[in-house]
Amino acid sequence: MALRKLGVDPESPNGGSPTVYLDDAKENYLVQGWKVLDKERLTQMDIPGQETVVEIPRRMAQFFLEVKSGKDTDV
């Protein structure tokens, strides 16, 4: 399995998180972000036991759009 790093939050102070990856073999995105612990927001979602919720800033949507448009954004 080869993961491709698509982009790191451009405003991250150390350039390490949040990060968006693409798993080429499974055709899935992997998102590294801030773990959501806010019970008020979590109760508004139906989250199965094997899943979790992470949060990334809206400005990172560009990395998903680059893949959709066919541009290579390896960082």
Side-chain angles (χ1 to χ4, degrees), residues 33-49:
W34 305 293
K35 191 173 188 178
V36 175
L37 301 173
D38 180 355
K39 290 186 188 281
E40 184 177 337
R41 290 194 292 165
L42 291 171
T43 58
Q44 297 178 51
M45 299 179 246
D46 184 21
I47 306 163

Side-chain angles (χ1 to χ4, degrees), residues 4-69:
R4 281 196 311 155
K5 186 186 285 186
L6 300 178
V8 177
D9 179 3
E11 295 184 23
S12 176
N14 298 320
S17 182
T19 307
V20 176
Y21 299 88
L22 175 65
D23 180 335
D24 284 323
K26 292 189 173 190
E27 296 276 324
N28 286 332
Y29 292 106
L30 290 92
V31 179
Q32 174 187 341
W34 305 293
K35 191 173 188 178
V36 175
L37 301 173
D38 180 355
K39 290 186 188 281
E40 184 177 337
R41 290 194 292 165
L42 291 171
T43 58
Q44 297 178 51
M45 299 179 246
D46 184 21
I47 306 163
Q50 74 278 10
E51 296 180 5
T52 191
V53 177
V54 296
E55 185 171 2
I56 62 171
R58 189 176 198 168
R59 62 184 168 265
M60 292 186 66
Q62 65 180 317
F63 301 117
F64 296 106
L65 300 173
E66 292 294 323
V67 171
K68 185 177 178 183
S69 70

